[in-house]
């Protein structure tokens, strides 16, 4: 990106979402301006955005149940670029997100980096169920609505294989939960059931129902499955899941503490919930259980207690790209190792100390575990930044306690040998980093400070400059407004 003084500049961005069932692409134009002034470190903000092209929604191409067809996805993206009238080299920023069951495919990580190479300079991420729910909540408008109203808003993103719930209250994440609920869990071909997913097979067996592969498309148990799924969503929202419901639970139970005020649905099934497309045409076109789930959700009594909000986006509740790039300079009080730089595309996980050293210490282990669950659910070694906020005055004894706890916590990481990356709002980076290295000189740590970032942002840390500072670029995923 070119340097901006006070003038406005535009760039093209692409958002590509490869999901369990569908793949789609959005091309956008962002208008940027440096809001910090010519004599300050650049603070580049988006002042306007325009969607130039929305692709059709394609069925995600797979070579098998476990392998993404990379060549087919490549062709699809190139084809849509041509339709949009843009070339890969014109795309200056963007994001490729692999979501849903597709994120667990054998070559998901290879696919995301391959696509980034051929499609432009992209932020790339493989989103596990928690991160997918968080992304969808921001794209659907649920996050913004919670921020404006202070309400606890649950976004339930229902795609082909999963329903990813994320609850935000007053703009802060309260918790997530994922269920085996999605349109493709039962599929039809030539008027008969052609596929039953494993969770549905277990549910059918648990209930003593007779539904099986080869059954008629109008088998009465299909309606029972859809209604049970809708009821499980209701029990998930008020945190009353039963032992019987666990057959549809993927991972941890609901994490939010308070009551939910409002609900928003996004994802492919929401197109039928809000009737943004013809239901009969959808049922015939997709040949799956999605329309039955949508109908059951609309009729589920336990969901009527909540305020229903329509999303800003349904099936396209995804990113327009990584549009906002804020450049910071971290120096003077930092501790970094040149051999471990640069670091790129590190997701940020916030750890609030709540202005109490003891509160922060108590959170470190659970925060590390949660960061791994969100950003590295497959335990493949995706590194991330722990961002310490709301720090009190820290004595040297406090610094030593934090460093010792971090040494223990890094053993939780799938690849403990990775550099531990810590960012702080306050200027404790150098003393924390040096204390850590004094205790464990053989382990790498990167500590930077005076950084303003938000959970869900991504961070690049550049090489150390002659002046001893490091450039830090914050990339914020940009959504529909």
């Amino acid at each position: 990106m070119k340097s901006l003084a006070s003038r406005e500049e535009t760039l093209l961005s692409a958002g590509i979402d490869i999901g369990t069932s569908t793949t789609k692409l959005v091309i956008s134009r962002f208008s940027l301006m440096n809001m910090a002034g010519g004599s300050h470190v650049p603070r580049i903000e988006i002042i306007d955005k325009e969607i130039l092209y929305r692709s059709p929604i394609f069925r995600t191409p797979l070579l098998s149940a476990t392998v993404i067809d990379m060549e087919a996805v490549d062709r699809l993206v190139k084809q849509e670029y041509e339709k949009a009238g843009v070339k890969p080299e014109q795309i200056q920023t963007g994001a490729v997100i692999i979501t849903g069951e597709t994120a667990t495919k054998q070559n998901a990580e290879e696919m995301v980096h391959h696509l980034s190479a051929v499609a432009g300079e992209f932020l790339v991420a493989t989103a596990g169920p928690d991160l997918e729910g968080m992304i969808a909540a921001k794209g659907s408008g649920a996050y913004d609505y919670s921020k404006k109203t202070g309400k606890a808003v649950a976004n339930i993103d229902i795609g082909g294989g999963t329903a990813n719930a994320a609850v935000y209250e007053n703009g802060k994440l309260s918790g997530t939960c994922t269920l085996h609920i999605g349109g493709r869990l039962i599929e039809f071909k030539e008027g008969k059931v052609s596929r039953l997913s494993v969770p549905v097979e277990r549910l059918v067996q648990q209930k003593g129902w007779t539904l099986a592969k080869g059954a008629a498309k109008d088998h009465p148990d299909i309606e029972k499955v859809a209604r049970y799924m809708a009821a499980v969503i209701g029990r998930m929202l008020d945190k009353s899941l039963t032992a019987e419901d666990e057959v549809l639970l993927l991972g941890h139970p609901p994490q939010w503490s308070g009551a939910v005020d409002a609900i928003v649905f996004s994802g492919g099934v929401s197109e039928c919930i809000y009737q943004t497309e013809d239901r009969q045409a959808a049922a015939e076109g997709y040949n799956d259980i999605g329309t039955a789930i949508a109908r059951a959700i609309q009729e589920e009594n336990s969901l009527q207690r909540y305020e229903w909000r329509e999303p800003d986006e349904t099936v396209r509740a995804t990113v327009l790209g990584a549009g906002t790039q804020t450049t910071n300079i971290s120096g003077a009080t930092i501790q970094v190792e040149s051999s471990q730089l640069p670091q790129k595309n590190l997701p940020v996980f916030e750890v609030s100390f709540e202005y109490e050293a003891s509160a922060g210490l108590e959170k470190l282990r659970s925060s590390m575990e949660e960061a791994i669950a969100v950003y590295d659910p497959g335990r493949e070694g995706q590194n991330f930044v722990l961002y310490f906020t709301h720090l009190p005055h820290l004595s040297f004894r406090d610094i030593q306690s934090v460093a010792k706890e971090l040494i223990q916590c890094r053993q939780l990481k799938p690849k403990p040998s990775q550099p531990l990356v810590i960012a702080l709002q306050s200027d404790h980076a150098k003393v924390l980093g040096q204390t850590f290295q004094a205790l464990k000189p053989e382990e790498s740590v990167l500590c930077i400070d005076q950084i303003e970032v938000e959970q869900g942002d991504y961070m690049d840390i550049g090489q150390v400059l002659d002046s001893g500072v490091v450039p830090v670029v914050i990339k914020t995923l940009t959504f529909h407004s």
Side-chain angles (χ1 to χ4, degrees), residues 166 190 246-247 274 322 330 366 416 430:
E190 297 176 355
E246 290 180 8
V247 69
Y274 299 108
S330 185
S366 60
K430 194 174 190 71

Side-chain angles (χ1 to χ4, degrees), residues 16-19 68 96-100 102-103 108-109 111-112 125-128:
I16 302 171
D17 183 352
I18 304 173
I68 301 169
V96 183
I97 310 291
I98 293 188
T99 59
T102 318
E109 197 69 22
M111 174 74 252
V112 83
T126 302

Side-chain angles (χ1 to χ4, degrees), residues 45 83 155 157 161 232 262 301 303 308 344 359 392 394 429 432 473:
E45 294 184 5
K83 287 183 183 177
N155 190 82
D157 188 71
V232 169
N301 287 333
L303 297 177
W308 283 55
K344 294 193 68 176
L394 295 175
L432 177 59
V473 177

Side-chain angles (χ1 to χ4, degrees), residues 85-295:
V86 299
K87 297 177 180 178
E89 56 267 26
Q90 292 178 285
I91 301 295
Q92 295 153 283
T93 185
V96 183
I97 310 291
I98 293 188
T99 59
E101 292 182 348
T102 318
T104 66
K105 302 302 181 190
Q106 286 180 6
N107 58 342
E109 197 69 22
E110 183 184 357
M111 174 74 252
V112 83
H113 290 289
H114 167 78
L115 197 53
S116 176
V118 301
E121 182 60 35
F122 279 21
L123 184 159
V124 294
T126 302
D130 290 334
L131 181 55
E132 182 179 359
M134 292 157 60
I135 288 173
K138 290 190 174 182
S140 73
Y143 163 82
D144 280 340
Y145 185 62
S146 81
K147 204 170 184 179
K148 289 174 185 174
T149 63
K151 294 180 178 181
V153 183
N155 190 82
I156 305 102
D157 188 71
I158 310 178
T162 57
N164 304 91
V167 177
Y168 281 88
E169 185 170 6
N170 198 26
K172 294 290 185 182
L173 180 68
S174 296
T176 57
C177 186
T178 299
L179 301 170
H180 288 292
I181 294 176
R184 298 287 181 189
L185 297 186
I186 300 178
E187 294 185 272
F188 310 115
K189 188 175 183 180
E190 297 176 355
K192 294 184 178 181
V193 175
S194 60
R195 176 180 180 261
L196 284 178
S197 68
V198 172
V200 171
E201 285 181 337
R202 289 173 179 163
L203 175 63
V204 168
Q205 183 179 12
Q206 182 173 282
K207 287 290 191 179
W209 296 335
T210 60
L211 182 64
K213 189 174 177 180
K217 188 176 181 178
D218 59 356
H219 192 290
D221 286 353
I222 292 171
E223 189 71 18
K224 292 178 184 177
V225 169
R227 291 193 176 278
Y228 187 84
M229 287 178 169
V232 169
I233 290 173
R235 289 193 287 274
M236 172 194 68
L237 288 171
D238 66 12
K239 305 186 298 298
S240 62
L241 290 174
T242 67
E244 192 177 51
D245 295 337
E246 290 180 8
V247 69
L248 296 182
L249 181 65
L250 175 59
H252 59 77
Q255 296 171 313
W256 48 92
S257 55
V260 169
D261 301 311
I263 56 176
V264 179
F265 290 94
S266 61
V269 171
S270 73
E271 298 256 292
C272 298
I273 293 174
Y274 299 108
Q275 299 180 22
T276 55
E277 64 175 54
D278 180 77
R279 183 175 289 181
Q280 183 63 33
E284 293 172 357
Y286 290 117
N287 274 315
D288 62 28
I289 199 180
T291 53
I293 294 173
R295 184 168 57 249

Side-chain angles (χ1 to χ4, degrees), residues 18-35:
I18 304 173
T20 301
S21 302
T22 61
T23 293
K24 52 263 187 191
L25 178 149
V26 179
I27 305 289
S28 308
R29 179 187 290 119
F30 297 153
S31 297
L32 308 176
M33 184 171 286
N34 181 6
M35 309 302 286

Side-chain angles (χ1 to χ4, degrees), residues 309-386:
R309 294 283 303 179
E310 288 203 19
D312 296 337
E313 288 288 338
T314 52
V315 72
R316 289 187 177 88
T318 184
V319 293
L320 299 180
T324 305
Q325 297 197 19
T326 306
T327 303
N328 289 273
I329 297 294
S330 185
T333 57
I334 66 172
Q335 176 68 34
V336 297
E337 299 174 44
S338 297
S339 63
Q340 300 294 342
L341 296 175
Q343 296 281 332
K344 294 193 68 176
N345 291 336
L346 300 179
V348 174
F349 189 91
E350 182 178 352
V351 183
S352 172
F353 275 58
E354 301 174 24
Y355 303 106
E356 290 285 345
S358 59
L361 277 168
E362 288 175 8
K363 283 184 177 182
L364 285 181
R365 186 176 186 86
S366 60
S367 295
M368 181 70 82
E369 290 172 339
E370 192 175 344
I372 293 167
V374 171
Y375 294 125
D376 192 17
R379 300 188 64 83
E380 296 168 340
Q382 166 66 56
N383 206 357
F384 49 82
V385 179
L386 289 179

